[in-house]
Amino acid sequence: MHIHIFDTPADAATALARRVADALAQRPAIVLGLPTGRTPVAMYAELRRLHAAGEADFSRAETFNLDEFAGVEPSHPGSFREYMETHLFRAVNLQRNRIHFLDGAAADLDAECRRYENEIEASGGIDLQVLGIGANGHIGFNEPGDTLIAVTHRVTLADTTRRDNAALFGGDPARVPREALSMGMGTILKAGALILVAMGERKAKCIERTINGPITTQLPASFLQLHRCADLYLDREAARLL
Ligand code: GLP
């Protein structure tokens, strides 16, 4: 894994957005895998700025997001789809039919997971997948546990994850859905390149274990050690224990 440490979260976000813009320039029809969460907010702001400045053209790009809450309409203010509309989709020139998303409100959630996995396959696969990390080491919504599922699947969210996502649901963890849909660790590891971004002291421990610990289903991020092209973008705080 290649580790990049930046003085501030803003520096990390700027470098990451620049890396995505460079990838777009090199390969305009790139298939991007995208994350949500607080961490990538600044990266998306910088991508919007680069797009407005004519330095990031999404016209031929395709996107797949990592995950979505179950039982939530795409237009719900707490959905990851709505997050992406706000932070990126409405502000750049992505073609609507090249935006792929899990539909948490689908009638048959297992069929929805299969549809998504097939759609990723049909696109030729994800070229560049950007990832955040949960404080418990989850990736997408692949939670720590005795087993991991390789393909896109339904997940029961950990209580800590529901608390971490409460801001999207009026600050009340009880209103965060108990279930979600997520790409699997296999789906993620099939991407051509991975970039994991983590900021802040809260992530320091799981980042240290991601890099130096054993590969274990108890820390899904540790599976990144198996990838041929994985980069970590960290601020000083997240890198504190390295
Ligand atoms: C959610 C998302 C993850 C994300 C994580 C971290 O659980 N499903 O993909 O990495 O939040 O969020 P934050 O960046 O807010 O710490």
Side-chain angles (χ1 to χ4, degrees), residues 36-39 67 80 132-134 138 140-141 161 165 202-203:
T36 51
R38 282 151 290 187
T39 310
D67 47 16
F80 285 157
I133 183 169
H138 75 234
F141 272 138
T161 301
N165 282 279
R202 243 180 94 243
K203 304 287 171 75

Side-chain angles (χ1 to χ4, degrees), residues 17-50:
R18 174 55 66 188
R19 170 90 180 262
V20 174
D22 287 349
L24 276 166
Q26 265 167 29
R27 191 169 185 165
I30 194 167
V31 182
L32 292 172
L34 298 174
T36 51
R38 282 151 290 187
T39 310
V41 166
M43 170 193 75
Y44 290 130
E46 182 61 13
L47 276 176
R48 296 196 301 274
R49 195 192 65 76
L50 288 171

Side-chain angles (χ1 to χ4, degrees), residues 48-72:
R48 296 196 301 274
R49 195 192 65 76
L50 288 171
H51 173 70
E55 293 173 49
D57 177 13
F58 291 84
S59 61
R60 293 177 57 202
E62 205 160 335
T63 68
F64 286 90
N65 264 79
L66 278 166
D67 47 16
E68 181 59 286
F69 294 106
V72 163

Side-chain angles (χ1 to χ4, degrees), residues 31 62-64 97 99-101 113-125:
V31 182
E62 205 160 335
T63 68
F64 286 90
N97 60 353
I99 295 173
H100 304 274
F101 232 92
C113 291
R114 285 192 296 275
R115 177 196 68 79
Y116 203 62
E117 192 74 26
N118 290 338
E119 224 166 81
I120 295 172
E121 201 76 35
S123 75

Side-chain angles (χ1 to χ4, degrees), residues 28 50 59 65 77 84 95 99 105 119 137 153 160 174-175 181 204 235:
L50 288 171
S59 61
N65 264 79
M84 289 304 300
Q95 297 204 10
I99 295 173
E119 224 166 81
H153 62 288
T160 50
R175 283 170 56 197
L181 312 181
D235 73 343

Side-chain angles (χ1 to χ4, degrees), residues 73-122:
E73 293 287 340
S75 59
H76 185 287
S79 74
F80 285 157
R81 174 66 193 233
E82 189 52 32
Y83 168 107
M84 289 304 300
E85 291 291 345
T86 303
H87 292 288
L88 188 72
F89 296 162
R90 285 194 197 102
V92 300
N93 62 338
L94 265 167
Q95 297 204 10
R96 288 271 138 190
N97 60 353
R98 297 208 179 111
I99 295 173
H100 304 274
F101 232 92
L102 280 157
D103 180 0
D108 182 341
L109 292 175
D110 293 311
E112 174 61 8
C113 291
R114 285 192 296 275
R115 177 196 68 79
Y116 203 62
E117 192 74 26
N118 290 338
E119 224 166 81
I120 295 172
E121 201 76 35

Side-chain angles (χ1 to χ4, degrees), residues 182-228:
S182 178
M183 286 186 195
M185 280 314 294
T187 323
I188 292 164
L189 291 170
K190 272 196 231 163
L194 300 178
I195 305 179
L196 185 144
V197 53
M199 322 267 197
E201 208 268 328
R202 243 180 94 243
K203 304 287 171 75
K205 201 161 164 210
C206 65
I207 286 297
E208 195 279 327
R209 289 172 63 209
T210 295
I211 294 165
N212 298 324
I215 297 170
T216 165
T217 58
Q218 299 299 339
L219 191 85
S222 64
F223 278 78
L224 267 64
Q225 293 177 30
L226 294 172
H227 200 275
R228 226 183 311 122

